[in-house]
Structures are given as C-alpha cells and as structure tokens.
Amino acid sequence: MEAPSPSADAARPAVMADRGPASPKVEDHLVTTQHHAMIGGQDLRYTVTAGTMILRDEEGKPHASIYFTSYTRDGVKDLGKRPITYTYNGGPGSSSVWLHLGAFGPRRVALEEEGWAPAPPYHLEDNNESLLDITDLVFIDPVTTGYSRAIPGKDAKKFYGLDEDAEAVAEFIRLYTVRFGRWPSPKFLAGESYGTTRSAKLSHLLQQKHGIYLNGIVLLSTILNFQTARFATGNDLPYPLFLPTYTATAWYHKKLPPDLQAMGLQKAVDESRRFAAGEYTLALMQGNALSPEQWNDMAAKVARYTGLSTEYIKETNLRPEIQAFDKELLRDQRLTVGRLDSRFKGRDRSAAGERPEFDPSNAAITGPFTAVLNDYVRKDLGFKSDLPYEILTGRVRPWNFGPGNNYVNVAEDLRVALSENPALKVFVACGYYDLATPFFAAEYTFHHIGFEPDYAQRIHLHYYEAGHMMYIRRPSREQLKKDIAAFYETAAGAR
C-alpha cells in the first residue's frame, strides 16, 4: 500500500469522542513496487520496499521512525543462499543516498565518465555495477537523515552519538531481519566514511546484543581511529598519514618535481609512503630538536612530495594541514582542490587565505543526487512525504563521540568482532584522491588492529584512482564491483 503523506495525516488528526484531539497514530508506512534493470549484463527483476518502520522500546512505546529502501531479487527460493547487505553512509548526518544511487543500488545518478556532474536537469540510469545480482540490499537512513525522524515529543538528541546511533541502527537491523525472514541469510554490512565507524561499532554490538553474526563488512573510505585524521596541537600522526594523498593529488595536477611526476601515480605514491613512514615521522618526533640543517633538508623533502614550495612548508613548521594544502596547491592558478575528491577544482572569491570557501567535489555531486533522489522516491517507488529528505544535515550536531580528552577509536570493536567470529571477513576500499579519509591512514589503522596473522589474512585492502566516493568514476566503479563480487564469493559462506 502507498504511504500517506505526513502533511495529509496532520491535516486529518484522529478525534476521540469527548476527549479532544488524539495524537496521530504511529505506525509503519511501507510501499512495495516491482521493477527490473540491466545489471551485470542481465535483465534482473526485483522488488522494492520503501518507507518507514517504527522503533519501539520493550514496552511498545515508539521512539523513532526509520526510513529505508530495500531491494530483493525476485524468484529466490532459498534465502539461506542469498546474502543480505545492510548499508548506509556517514556524516554523521548523511543519508544513504550516495551508496544507494551512486554505487550499489540498481539505479544510479547519471554522471560523466570521470564523475563530473552534467548540466541540470539530472536523471537516473540502470546501474550495471549494482550489487543486487549478488546480494539483497537494505539502505538505511539514521535518525534525522533522509525521512527518518524521532517520534514527535521524543528528544532526537538521544540518537546523536557514537553509541546512541549504533544502538538505533542495530535495532533496525534486528527488526528488519525478524520481519522479513532473513535470519537464515548470510549477512553483510556496507558503510562509507563515518558509516565505516558505525560498521565497526555494529560488528561487535550486533554479536553481543542481538546474536547477529556477520559474514562480511564492506568499508569504503575508512575512518576507525580518529587520531589519524585530526590535525590538533600535539598530534603529529595525521601529517605523515596524509602525505601520500598529498603526493597523489599533486601528481594528478602535475605539481610534482619532473622526476617524481614521470614515475606515474603508483611509484610516486610508494616513494611517498616510504618517506612518510620513515624520515618524515622521525623528524616530526624530534620537534624543535632538529638542527637548522635537518630542518632545511626536511622542508625540501616535504615540499618534494606535496608539490608545495619549500618556503611554504617552513611556514607550516613542516606540517601542512589539509585545508591549507587544498588552498595552496593551485593558488598560482587561483584555484582550490577538493577534500572529498582532490581531482575536483574550485574557485574562491579571493585567492588569498588559508582555507577554501567550499569543497568543489561536494558541491559537484550534491545537486544531482538531491534532485534525482527526491524524484525517484516519489515517482518510481511511490513513497510520498512532504518532509525534506535530509541529504547531509548539520542538525545532528553536536555529535556525542563519548568521553572527552581522547580520540574515538572503534578499531578495537572490530578486532573483538573478528576474534569472536572467526568467519568474519573485511573488505576495505580506498581512493587515492580522498583527502577526507586518506588511504595511508586506513593502512595504519589496519596494521595496528591486531597482531595475530589471521587478522591480516581476513582484511582485504583495495585501491582506486578516485576520491572519497570512488564509484562516481566509471572505471573505479567497475573495478569496485569486480572486487566486491569476489569478496562476497569467499565470505558469504552460504549452505
């Protein structure tokens, strides 16, 4: 049945005799439709369920309405052989639209070959690289993202935190698993950016609280240990971990010295890795104990691998932060580079200053995904709501990351899940041009997640010549699909 519009409900409140107006009834609103698309070279038929499910406490009191879109392949007779993947994006404050209509869903936003946005209006096309041919998919919007909301009268802030968010998403996954009969199915999580943080937290929580053991976790643009990406006084860790991405970015924009530029992306990045993990890290540890000769030598080397001038590196005390790098690399052209995807270029009002006015990579994709999602949900999926679909909202802030005076590190949650569940495998996708969650930081995290040999054997890192959303670039999306399909084949463990 079609979900009624919330505005229509509000216009027709239920009335109880002699008791005045009653609150609108809180219930699930789900719409089911049938579709087909060309995926993996075949005409695949599937069912979509779009709408909201109510989360309740054990006394039956509602506290949140969670919007989701699920895709299930038609004609499947044995769910024990059919994986299901619960997927979401990050933020915090992001809906699942990016993975939904950019990477995994059967339909995707049409972009140009390299991921650049076409001129509006925008449209959908069949996604040949959808995962629906290998797994059913459930795209989840956490509270206050998408159409998901706290129940009126409930405090939405209680969902805005590391643990609070994980608890709510875990409860939704449990509820969906129960209602749609997916206990026999191989189960996967797929998250992007902060969604990888959520996945690590969920990997342990689902096992511990609900007895839901996963077959695999797909992590795109990973951040589990926030110390690796926080440019804070006294924390030198991000500088060497960001450096290889600076090198990749400078290589892409032809800003490296001629010998390094001529090596090609892979060799330039490998040389930068070695320098970052060796000489650069040791120099940063010495701080102001470096001699003037050592200081000058190190400034020249950092300049070599960043494409920035030696004098500028000295001005940053050998420590160029991400925003400064984004602004400085192409300053001579009065351009900036993107944070989510450093292949993108932007133009600020002024070429002066130490940080860009906006992220050109984020600006390029927000319009197409917003327009297409709003049209698709209402017209093709039949779910109607007058609420704004929150694509990426700041309404969830401040976000409760837990006790102060420390950095969030959920890698330990994932390590515990791997320890308790020997069948669990992890797929990690990294973009060379991702300045939000750099690939070398992901490597550092997984190299420290545990010291038993089998951990490394169960964690698979893959690299793509694109940014945070590597799937917006067609060649990267095609390779990502091949890599994930191979991962599912080994991790599904179905009967």
Side-chain angles (χ1 to χ4, degrees):
M1 62 178 288
E2 184 175 293
S5 163
S7 60
D9 285 349
R12 299 191 301 273
V15 178
M16 299 179 66
D18 301 323
R19 295 185 182 182
S23 300
K25 188 175 182 181
V26 178
E27 59 186 359
D28 298 346
H29 295 300
L30 302 178
V31 183
T32 300
T33 50
Q34 275 68 46
H35 304 264
H36 66 97
M38 291 300 297
I39 300 171
Q42 58 181 313
D43 187 4
L44 190 149
R45 298 187 176 275
Y46 57 93
T47 297
V48 182
T49 302
T52 56
M53 283 205 307
I54 304 301
L55 300 187
R56 302 176 184 270
D57 61 24
E58 292 202 0
E59 296 178 352
K61 296 178 181 178
H63 53 88
S65 173
I66 302 296
Y67 179 81
F68 71 97
T69 311
S70 71
Y71 295 85
T72 55
R73 185 170 184 172
D74 293 343
V76 174
K77 297 179 180 179
D78 185 358
L79 293 181
K81 295 180 179 178
R82 179 66 175 169
I84 186 165
T85 302
Y86 297 99
T87 182
Y88 32 74
N89 279 86
S94 178
S95 67
S96 61
V97 63
W98 315 107
L99 290 178
H100 183 183
L101 297 183
F104 298 156
R107 303 276 285 163
R108 69 163 177 259
V109 176
L111 299 172
E112 295 182 7
E113 177 91 352
E114 289 296 313
W116 322 134
Y122 311 108
H123 67 277
L124 281 173
E125 61 188 11
D126 284 356
N127 183 12
N128 191 56
E129 290 76 52
S130 171
L131 298 186
L132 189 55
D133 58 338
I134 60 175
T135 176
D136 291 339
L137 298 159
V138 184
F139 296 93
I140 305 168
D141 290 338
V143 174
T144 312
T145 73
Y147 293 127
S148 298
R149 299 291 188 272
I151 297 299
K154 300 293 183 180
D155 183 8
K157 293 180 181 178
K158 72 178 185 179
F159 298 100
Y160 303 160
L162 177 70
D163 294 330
E164 299 89 335
D165 167 83
E167 288 280 353
V169 175
E171 173 58 18
F172 173 86
I173 290 173
R174 183 202 66 82
L175 189 61
Y176 185 97
T177 301
V178 169
R179 289 191 181 177
F180 289 84
R182 301 312 296 254
W183 278 106
S185 301
K187 299 174 188 65
F188 291 77
L189 302 179
E192 178 183 288
S193 194
Y194 182 84
T196 66
T197 312
R198 179 184 293 124
S199 290
K201 197 73 179 175
L202 285 173
S203 67
H204 185 208
L205 180 61
L206 287 169
Q207 288 180 191
Q208 183 184 57
K209 186 172 183 179
H210 299 303
I212 296 176
Y213 279 57
L214 302 167
N215 292 75
I217 303 175
V218 175
L219 305 176
L220 279 70
S221 304
T222 306
I223 181 164
L224 306 186
N225 179 357
F226 280 65
Q227 186 181 3
T228 64
R230 291 293 181 263
F231 293 95
T233 301
N235 179 33
D236 278 342
L237 189 57
Y239 299 102
L241 297 182
F242 273 69
L243 189 76
T245 303
Y246 291 166
T247 303
T249 302
W251 179 88
Y252 181 84
H253 294 288
K254 298 180 171 55
K255 284 290 186 176
L256 293 178
D259 67 312
L260 198 56
Q261 189 74 41
M263 288 183 181
L265 176 62
Q266 299 294 337
K267 290 183 178 179
V269 163
D270 286 344
E271 184 175 313
S272 181
R273 271 191 181 103
R274 290 190 293 270
F275 169 73
E279 287 184 76
Y280 189 34
T281 295
L282 292 174
L284 294 176
M285 288 182 66
Q286 292 179 69
N288 61 16
L290 287 173
S291 69
E293 293 77 13
Q294 290 173 316
W295 179 274
N296 290 332
D297 178 64
M298 188 53 53
K301 289 179 177 177
V302 175
R304 168 178 170 80
Y305 293 110
T306 60
L308 306 179
S309 72
T310 301
E311 286 306 310
Y312 186 83
I313 295 300
K314 289 180 180 179
E315 290 171 359
T316 67
N317 298 320
L318 310 180
R319 295 163 171 82
E321 297 185 6
I322 176 178
Q323 297 285 356
F325 175 83
D326 290 349
K327 185 73 173 180
E328 183 68 18
L329 183 68
L330 301 181
R331 193 189 294 271
D332 61 340
Q333 303 172 38
R334 300 182 65 85
L335 298 173
T336 63
V337 299
R339 174 175 173 268
L340 293 177
D341 192 326
S342 61
R343 297 175 304 144
F344 287 74
K345 295 181 285 189
R347 191 179 297 278
D348 291 346
R349 183 172 185 269
S350 170
E354 288 304 310
R355 58 188 300 130
E357 292 178 359
F358 67 100
D359 178 357
S361 52
N362 181 58
I365 60 176
T366 296
F369 278 80
T370 301
V372 168
L373 183 285
N374 279 278
D375 181 62
Y376 174 63
V377 168
R378 181 176 284 261
K379 184 175 69 177
D380 292 7
L381 304 187
F383 181 84
K384 295 181 172 63
S385 173
D386 288 341
L387 285 173
Y389 186 91
E390 293 284 0
I391 296 286
L392 180 59
T393 180
R395 292 169 58 188
V396 303
R397 300 183 185 278
W399 190 261
N400 178 20
F401 282 100
N405 299 321
N406 65 353
Y407 296 98
V408 169
N409 186 359
V410 294
E412 178 63 9
D413 292 87
L414 181 56
R415 185 203 63 79
V416 172
L418 286 163
S419 180
E420 294 179 353
N421 178 5
L424 178 60
K425 295 180 174 62
V426 181
F427 178 98
V428 184
C430 305
Y432 281 120
Y433 304 118
D434 178 5
L435 278 169
T437 56
F439 63 88
F440 200 40
E443 292 176 13
Y444 174 90
T445 297
F446 288 107
H447 289 164
H448 291 80
I449 198 169
F451 298 92
E452 301 302 324
D454 72 306
Y455 289 157
Q457 296 166 7
R458 293 157 62 193
I459 297 171
H460 309 273
L461 277 75
H462 298 263
Y463 302 85
Y464 305 91
E465 292 186 32
H468 198 66
M469 287 99 161
M470 68 281 296
Y471 44 80
I472 67 172
R473 178 177 179 266
R474 184 187 61 78
S476 296
R477 183 176 63 250
E478 291 175 348
Q479 188 60 50
L480 179 67
K481 168 62 182 291
K482 292 176 183 177
D483 295 340
I484 292 179
F487 172 74
Y488 270 70
E489 188 173 348
T490 62
R495 296 191 307 273

